[in-house]
Amino acid sequence: MPKKKVLLDEDELPKKWYNILPDLPEPLPPPLHPMTKEPLKPEDLEPLFPKGLIKQEMSNERYIKIPEEVLEVYRMWRPTPLIRAERLERYLKTPARIYYKYEGVSPPGSHKPNTAVAQAYYNMKEGVERLTTETGAGQWGSALCFATKLFDMKCTVYMVKVSYEQKPYRRIIMEAYGGEVIPSPSNRTESGRKILESDPDTPGSLGIAISEAVEDAAKNDDTKYSLGSVLNHVLLHQTVVGLELKKQLEKIDEKPDILVGCVGGGSNFSGLSYPFVKDSQKNGLRIVAVEPAACPTLTSGEYRYDYGDTVGLTPLIKMYTLGHKFIPPPIHAGGLRYHGDAPTLSLLVAKGVIEAVAVKQLSTFEAGLIFARTEGIIPAPESNHAVRVAIDEALKAKEKNEEKVIVIGLSGHGYFDLSAYDSYLSGRLNDT
Ligand SMILES: *Cc1c(COP(=O)(O)O)cnc(C)c1O
């Protein structure tokens, strides 16, 4: 009988991050300068990022050592548990074994501090005093406010306006950690003012908020910018999740058949799955990325060069995109409302190494409540996308009477997203 809850000892925490760049099926198309369209040089990124992170962004080394100061913070909540969802299995009457790797145990409640802490650390090392960033649902902002405070830095968060209004608790968390939160688009930046002029009632979007945060950092010398997803170094930091998962599965002698996670920009999904990618074909492992039908980047987007933000200030990156001007409908999984996706993940999907599916909002909340009523944890609306597809796969396994091993990346809890659950429970939620 496999253990229900698989824990690692603190000293089993990974000491290195895994960089997938040298293991991609073909070289990653380089990011391009937004003006010249020439491949980006490390210096081009220096107004926005510290050198330590730029080096990681462009590194071809397979393993990168985690600094002791970062490990020390990770130990506050890592390693995170791998939990067998036995009650969910019983409810579904499936022969599949379902596990979830739970990132909701971090202080801000999601996987995001895995990179926020590393990014704050490298900025602090180079004397940066303030970080700017954008946030959708507020998880990234709260992770960065938490992390910057640990290293005695300031943090300014441009929060997508619809989330600022729908999710006051996230704003309060950021302010409790000492951050400054501004609804975006705002009057603080040229990019924000331009958008407000043409569309004063815009719900905002991650793309717009990125433009504002980038502009703020570029115009201030003591300030740099920090991104919570998409970039190579962000995905790199998140691989602590998959590296731990690998050890945990080995510990109980399980071989996964399906890894499933949700995708906004791709960081929690890549963190969970990248350490498994290289041998996935050999091991018959399916790696499934789940996105919202309202923002179907991987399943309906084009694979081409595009800007990371709405205004066109960021480098051009080759990725699946819905177009940098795409403003997704205000679904509750705010963290999944992004027009693009990480370039490495996009390449792996284009090459057929990773599968992608899109699911509708109502079906994700239905899945989230099944999970809450069996496993007791109320997942983040983003994580519900992964839970949905895991349940669908478990039901398929039941039809075929197959003993599949399914692992869910449960990227965060939903205790600050209860208004979304309230909308669902009272029948006010729609599929847009
Ligand atoms: C931000 C967030 C996501 C989406 O971002 P990725 O970079 O794709 O991981 C998913 N789940 C939770 C809980 C989040 O906070």
Side-chain angles (χ1 to χ4, degrees), residues 113-421:
N114 296 330
T115 185
V117 168
Q119 292 190 45
Y121 167 79
Y122 286 104
N123 275 286
M124 176 275 293
K125 283 295 267 190
E126 293 179 31
V128 176
E129 286 171 18
R130 181 175 71 111
L131 289 180
T132 66
T133 195
E134 71 291 333
T135 195
Q139 284 109 328
W140 170 241
S142 32
L144 197 66
C145 290
F146 161 73
T148 44
K149 200 38 95 184
L150 296 180
F151 294 107
D152 226 358
M153 299 163 71
K154 285 187 273 192
C155 189
T156 302
V157 182
Y158 291 87
M159 184 172 191
V160 177
K161 200 200 280 166
V162 56
S163 305
Y164 186 92
E165 286 160 2
Q166 278 179 358
K167 308 196 167 186
Y169 288 113
R170 286 281 173 196
R171 169 180 59 77
I172 299 165
I173 293 169
M174 290 185 266
E175 290 172 348
Y177 284 138
E180 177 192 27
V181 189
I182 297 162
S184 163
S186 77
N187 282 319
R188 287 261 291 240
T189 65
E190 240 167 77
S191 323
R193 285 191 293 270
K194 233 185 257 168
I195 287 166
L196 283 176
E197 239 166 67
S198 63
D199 186 4
D201 296 324
T202 173
S205 72
L206 272 182
I208 297 172
I210 293 173
S211 304
E212 293 206 279
V214 165
E215 187 186 320
D216 183 347
K219 286 184 175 165
N220 291 287
D221 281 347
D222 61 349
T223 303
K224 296 222 186 279
Y225 167 70
S226 170
L227 190 65
S229 189
V230 180
L231 296 179
N232 297 338
H233 68 268
V234 179
L235 275 50
L236 171 81
H237 301 151
Q238 291 296 352
T239 57
V240 284
V241 179
L243 292 166
E244 283 178 14
L245 172 62
K246 222 172 179 177
K247 281 192 198 170
Q248 286 167 313
L249 289 170
E250 277 162 18
K251 213 165 171 172
I252 52 169
D253 236 345
E254 283 283 37
K255 290 208 166 50
D257 295 296
I258 305 173
L259 296 184
V260 50
C262 64
V263 173
S267 76
N268 87 86
F269 179 79
S270 305
L272 179 86
S273 65
Y274 278 9
F276 294 84
V277 163
K278 200 163 140 231
D279 296 326
S280 59
Q281 257 137 357
K282 187 179 80 194
N283 292 337
L285 170 67
R286 289 174 54 208
I287 304 178
V288 185
V290 190
E291 59 185 12
C295 190
T297 316
L298 294 170
T299 50
S300 307
E302 287 176 58
Y303 185 47
R304 63 171 168 88
Y305 273 100
D306 196 8
Y307 297 102
D309 68 327
T310 302
V311 174
L313 300 174
T314 69
L316 288 155
I317 47 182
K318 187 154 183 198
M319 60 180 176
Y320 277 96
T321 175
L322 296 163
H324 64 282
K325 299 221 186 295
F326 179 79
I327 296 186
I331 52 166
H332 280 284
L336 307 186
R337 292 177 75 240
Y338 184 60
H339 68 270
D341 267 315
T344 51
L345 175 58
S346 296
L347 176 70
L348 289 164
V349 170
K351 291 280 146 199
V353 178
I354 287 175
E355 299 170 38
V357 290
V359 293
K360 290 193 171 166
Q361 176 160 256
L362 284 177
S363 75
T364 64
F365 277 94
E366 181 198 19
L369 284 182
I370 292 173
F371 194 88
R373 289 167 188 182
T374 50
E375 295 301 314
I377 293 167
I378 301 176
E382 291 85 358
S383 313
N384 283 346
H385 289 68
V387 175
R388 172 74 267 165
V389 170
I391 289 178
D392 292 344
E393 290 293 338
L395 292 174
K396 274 186 223 161
K398 174 174 160 183
E399 248 168 57
K400 297 188 198 154
N401 200 23
E402 287 176 338
E403 254 191 54
K404 295 276 183 207
V405 175
I406 302 170
V407 181
I408 304 169
L410 205 73
S411 50
H413 66 65
Y415 298 117
F416 305 117
D417 302 284
L418 293 178
S419 65
Y421 279 91

